[in-house]
Amino acid sequence: MTLPYERTRSVVQTQEFLTRLTRDTALPESIRDEARHLLRHYPSKHEVLQAGLNEEQSPRGILSQPVFSSKMER
């Protein structure tokens, strides 16, 4: 089972990875374009952590389980 902090870390690391791909001139332009396209609406680290904080502060019962965490480590 994936815990909220693990999911948060994974989403943030994916955003960082896609950003690195956009800057890697050794890759074909089509790959860099696809990474840019995916990042266009991808949440930033701040947005993911804020979503986690919002979930942690919401009354229990609104969400069955938190999706994100306000932290990337346990």
Side-chain angles (χ1 to χ4, degrees):
M1 179 172 112
T2 301
L3 297 172
Y5 80 91
E6 294 169 321
R7 186 175 300 107
T8 298
R9 184 178 56 227
S10 179
V11 170
V12 169
Q13 288 174 340
T14 299
Q15 190 268 345
E16 293 168 351
F17 174 71
L18 289 169
T19 300
R20 284 196 312 273
L21 290 181
T22 68
R23 297 176 181 155
D24 188 345
T25 56
L27 293 172
E29 187 66 29
S30 62
I31 299 295
R32 290 182 281 148
D33 285 344
E34 183 66 20
R36 274 190 285 277
H37 176 75
L38 292 170
L39 282 168
R40 194 167 170 193
H41 301 289
Y42 204 85
S44 69
K45 177 179 180 177
H46 173 76
E47 291 167 328
V48 173
L49 294 174
Q50 185 62 51
L53 183 62
N54 292 347
E55 290 177 13
E56 291 166 359
Q57 293 177 347
S58 71
R60 292 294 164 211
I62 292 178
L63 296 172
S64 59
Q65 293 181 2
V67 176
F68 293 113
S69 172
S70 62
K71 298 172 184 65
M72 293 182 5
E73 301 298 327
R74 195 171 246 210

